[in-house]
Amino acid sequence: MGMDIKQIQDLIKFVSKSGVNEVAIEEKDFKITIKTNQEPTYVTASVPVAAAPVAPQPAAVVPVAVSEESNFITIKSPMIGTFYRSAGPGKPSFVNAGDEINTGNVLCIIEAMKLFNEIESEVSGKIVKILVEDAQPVEFDQPLFLVDPR
């Protein structure tokens, strides 16, 4: 079956944003391996080749979870990378504790492999607590913010 050049380019973009170190796809008459120069992150998955070339989204989808001990919602990191509260040094933070947010507001940036991904809110409410320090590395699914939903 093989992959066309557009599918390969999409796969390379996806791998660079995902934070994985290496992806290998092998079929009877086709083999591709994509490696990055970052520290290894091990992910094991069995996916059909047709599902592999996924077009990257302009803004990351943020996993949210309702905290069991309160009514707060935990906004979690959708990827591995470095957490930034502002667009750059000396610039104002996207959000602070106590700020009201709406769905679609940019909360932070997560940098993965020199790509800066704006993380948008999937909920509306009030930021109760920021759980990560600026410029700190974050893992996939790591809690970033506590939000009191409206």
Side-chain angles (χ1 to χ4, degrees):
M1 179 175 156
M3 295 175 73
D4 65 29
I5 191 70
K6 175 76 173 122
Q7 290 174 315
I8 293 170
Q9 289 172 336
D10 288 345
L11 182 59
I12 290 169
K13 289 177 188 173
F14 176 75
V15 170
S16 69
K17 285 188 176 187
S18 70
V20 295
N21 193 38
E22 180 177 340
V23 172
I25 298 173
E26 187 171 349
E27 293 182 3
K28 289 183 283 185
D29 59 344
F30 179 78
K31 180 177 180 180
I32 184 171
T33 302
I34 300 171
K35 295 181 182 181
T36 62
N37 291 331
Q38 69 179 28
E39 293 187 25
T41 301
Y42 300 99
V43 176
T44 304
S46 60
V47 254
V49 173
V54 176
Q57 307 228 346
V61 176
V62 181
V64 293
V66 177
S67 177
E68 292 177 11
E69 62 254 10
S70 67
N71 293 335
F72 297 149
I73 293 175
T74 303
I75 296 178
K76 298 181 178 183
S77 177
M79 64 186 65
I80 296 169
T82 303
F83 173 89
Y84 293 105
R85 291 190 56 198
S86 66
K91 303 229 174 166
S93 297
F94 291 110
V95 293
N96 293 300
D99 287 358
E100 291 289 329
I101 59 167
N102 294 308
T103 302
N105 287 136
V106 175
L107 301 174
C108 64
I109 290 177
I110 296 183
E111 183 248 330
M113 295 183 57
K114 307 292 182 209
L115 296 173
F116 294 85
N117 304 283
E118 289 185 343
I119 307 304
E120 295 179 354
S121 178
E122 294 288 319
V123 297
S124 293
K126 179 179 175 183
I127 299 285
V128 175
K129 188 172 184 181
I130 299 171
L131 304 170
V132 182
E133 295 296 320
D134 193 42
Q136 178 180 341
V138 293
E139 296 294 324
F140 171 75
D141 216 28
Q142 179 177 339
L144 302 176
F145 301 93
L146 281 182
V147 177
D148 187 1
R150 282 190 223 149

